[in-house]
Amino acid sequence: MICIILTEEVINKIIKNDIKCTYLNEHYVILYKKMEAKDKDLESYFNNIKLAQESGINIPKIIEYRLLNSSKKERSNGIFVEERARGTVLNIRGLVLEENSDYDFKKIINEYLERMDFYLNELEKRANASQQIYNKFLNDFTSLYKFGLRPDPNSLNYLFDEDIGFTIIDPYYDEDNIINKNNLFKYLINDIYGVSRPTIIIKKETVKVFYYLPEYYKKRLKKYSNIINKKLFLAFKTFGYSEEYILKELANNKMRFFTEEISFESEELQNKLKEEFKSKKTSLK
């Protein structure tokens, strides 16, 4: 592969400064990473991605690359120029409070609710997506196996755009072409909703998750999740899954949102968090 963008100057700068991601423009990105294939499989891997994209699957192609200190037995390490995937990843981590520290609980709650606002705004966009977008996502996900590619379940590898829907990045090279149907529903749920909604984690010898919300946030969360779940139900039903199985999986997903818990308004949330943080500190003494 002839390198046009990856000149020696560009490569040396990336390595020297350990730059993991460089956006060239709205169309291309340079990534310094391990690719999800070994050196000996790399050309086949790139070709499979190209064929998958040509078949209509939302997946970015690799334009050029330079391998660095790679081993034929390990995943390829290098610098890769790829098409830039459109959309937003939904992967918001919880705020972590260490018990030996002191905190401004008002500031913590404000940041918690800011993260929740972002999460809900993104979820609203996904709820407003057409049924065709959900059907296509399920079809893209399962069709990758036909091209010797296996989707990575990590929610960081799925971007959502309101116009084109879901794009899959960094699939594994896998010539076995075997779909794990037992995990398929769980993977798609994680990719659409993110691993979890924002929370506050009180952490030391044990971990306690603080998940209370104002009523307004809970109503929005319920509203959008109900809409998304209906579209997931229809998509999986179209692909031949039984109604009983789909409803069971959707029920399992609902449990992680804690929407049935007591509501607290903003100031009450501060007091509740302070109370739980202090009681946990006391309980460990």
Side-chain angles (χ1 to χ4, degrees):
M1 183 177 284
I2 300 173
C3 291
I4 300 172
I5 298 171
L6 294 178
T7 62
E8 288 301 323
E9 181 182 358
V10 170
I11 291 170
N12 291 336
K13 181 180 178 181
I14 288 173
I15 296 172
K16 181 180 178 180
N17 297 290
D18 195 28
I19 303 172
K20 300 300 183 186
C21 178
T22 305
Y23 295 109
L24 291 175
N25 50 43
E26 62 179 317
H27 301 294
Y28 301 104
V29 61
I30 301 177
L31 299 172
Y32 179 21
K33 65 177 184 179
K34 283 187 179 292
M35 189 57 76
E36 304 301 339
K38 298 176 182 178
D39 287 4
K40 65 183 181 65
D41 300 319
L42 214 52
E43 289 298 334
S44 294
Y45 175 66
F46 292 160
N47 187 58
N48 290 356
I49 288 176
K50 178 176 178 289
L51 292 174
Q53 188 191 69
E54 290 173 353
S55 77
I57 294 174
N58 288 349
I59 185 171
K61 287 188 297 189
I62 289 82
I63 307 302
E64 63 180 74
Y65 67 94
R66 176 72 65 85
L67 296 182
L68 305 169
N69 302 321
S70 290
S71 164
K72 292 184 178 181
K73 295 182 180 180
E74 303 293 335
R75 288 163 52 201
S76 295
N77 181 48
I79 300 174
F80 305 85
V81 180
E82 301 182 13
E83 291 177 330
R84 186 171 174 179
R86 288 170 55 184
T88 304
V89 169
L90 197 50
N91 189 62
I92 305 173
R93 298 299 180 184
L95 291 165
V96 179
L97 305 187
E98 301 288 347
E99 291 202 87
N100 293 325
S101 302
D102 292 317
Y103 295 97
D104 180 337
F105 293 103
K106 181 179 180 180
K107 184 176 179 180
I108 294 295
I109 290 298
N110 286 342
E111 186 174 350
Y112 169 54
L113 294 181
E114 283 176 10
R115 293 189 183 195
M116 198 67 205
D117 275 322
F118 174 83
Y119 180 80
L120 289 171
N121 289 339
E122 287 300 317
L123 213 59
E124 181 179 16
K125 294 174 187 177
R126 295 168 190 231
N128 290 335
S130 67
Q131 182 63 49
Q132 288 71 24
I133 279 179
Y134 282 86
N135 292 353
K136 182 176 179 358
F137 183 35
L138 179 54
N139 184 65
D140 282 1
F141 195 98
T142 54
S143 295
L144 275 182
Y145 289 85
K146 301 174 186 176
F147 296 93
L149 302 168
R150 175 166 51 88
D152 185 338
N154 189 329
S155 60
L156 286 170
N157 292 325
Y158 302 86
L159 292 85
F160 175 78
D161 177 83
E162 292 173 274
D163 295 323
I164 65 172
F166 295 92
T167 296
I168 303 170
I169 64 173
D170 290 346
Y172 291 104
Y173 182 77
D174 188 348
E175 292 289 1
D176 290 337
N177 300 340
I178 300 173
I179 300 174
N180 187 333
K181 291 188 175 181
N182 293 329
N183 290 328
L184 181 59
F185 206 106
K186 179 178 70 176
Y187 290 165
L188 262 73
I189 285 282
N190 283 344
D191 303 334
I192 293 168
Y193 282 100
V195 174
S196 178
R197 72 165 178 82
T199 56
I200 300 174
I201 300 167
I202 303 172
K203 182 180 178 183
K204 193 181 177 185
E205 295 173 11
T206 59
V207 173
K208 183 174 180 62
V209 180
F210 184 90
Y211 43 74
Y212 300 103
L213 285 171
E215 187 63 26
Y216 167 70
Y217 288 82
K218 284 174 57 176
K219 284 181 178 179
R220 287 186 69 193
L221 185 56
K222 283 184 177 181
K223 176 183 177 181
Y224 304 147
S225 63
N226 285 340
I227 295 171
I228 291 171
N229 286 352
K230 286 178 182 177
K231 291 175 180 177
L232 276 172
F233 178 88
L234 292 174
F236 274 89
K237 191 174 179 182
T238 300
F239 276 74
Y241 284 79
S242 70
E243 292 189 8
E244 181 182 4
Y245 175 80
I246 299 170
L247 291 173
K248 182 187 76 173
E249 293 297 324
L250 289 174
N252 290 339
N253 176 59
K254 182 181 177 182
M255 292 175 65
R256 66 180 175 167
F257 288 115
F258 307 106
T259 51
E260 305 306 321
E261 299 300 327
I262 299 171
S263 299
F264 293 91
E265 295 313 309
S266 183
E267 188 173 339
E268 294 175 315
L269 274 177
Q270 297 172 38
N271 295 331
K272 181 65 176 174
L273 177 59
K274 186 175 182 179
E275 174 189 318
E276 296 220 356
F277 183 76
K278 287 189 172 181
S279 65
K280 188 154 182 58
K281 287 182 76 171
T282 303
S283 67
L284 291 171
K285 288 182 178 178

